[in-house]
C-alpha cells in the first residue's frame, strides 16, 4: 500500500507503508495542493500553486504537464 502526498516544497511524495520507503517526484514551482492516485493504471495526478497539473507514472517519471493558460489540441 502506498500513500501519495504533496508538499509546500513543490515535491510529490509516494510512501510505501510496509517499508517506509519514500519516492520523491519534484517538479512543481511552489506548494502542491492536490494529489490523487488511480489504481486502475498506476498514475498519479498532482496540482499546484504554480497553476500546473502533472501526470506521473508510478515509477515517478512525469508523463505530461499542463500549465494554466495552456490549451489542449
Amino acid at each position: 500500500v502506498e500513500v501519495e502526498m504533496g508538499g509546500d516544497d513543490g515535491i510529490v511524495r509516494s510512501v510505501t507503508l510496509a517499508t517506509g520507503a519514500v519516492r520523491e517526484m519534484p517538479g512543481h514551482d511552489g506548494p502542491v495542493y492536490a494529489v490523487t492516485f488511480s489504481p486502475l493504471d498506476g498514475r498519479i495526478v498532482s496540482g499546484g500553486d504554480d497553476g500546473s497539473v502533472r501526470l506521473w507514472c508510478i515509477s515517478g517519471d512525469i508523463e505530461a504537464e499542463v500549465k494554466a493558460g495552456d490549451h489542449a489540441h
Side-chain angles (χ1 to χ4, degrees):
V1 173
E2 292 189 5
V3 175
E4 285 70 38
M5 63 194 80
D8 286 342
D9 56 4
I11 299 174
V12 175
R13 291 177 176 81
S14 182
V15 180
T16 303
L17 295 181
T19 65
V22 178
R23 182 174 52 249
E24 293 188 342
M25 295 167 272
H28 286 281
D29 295 323
V32 178
Y33 292 134
V35 179
T36 191
F37 173 73
S38 172
L40 297 176
D41 61 9
R43 288 190 172 103
I44 299 166
V45 177
S46 60
D49 187 61
D50 60 0
S52 71
V53 174
R54 294 171 183 256
L55 177 66
W56 309 84
C57 62
I58 195 64
S59 68
D61 295 330
I62 191 165
E63 291 186 1
E65 174 186 8
V66 177
K67 292 191 176 187
D70 287 353
H71 301 283
H73 295 99

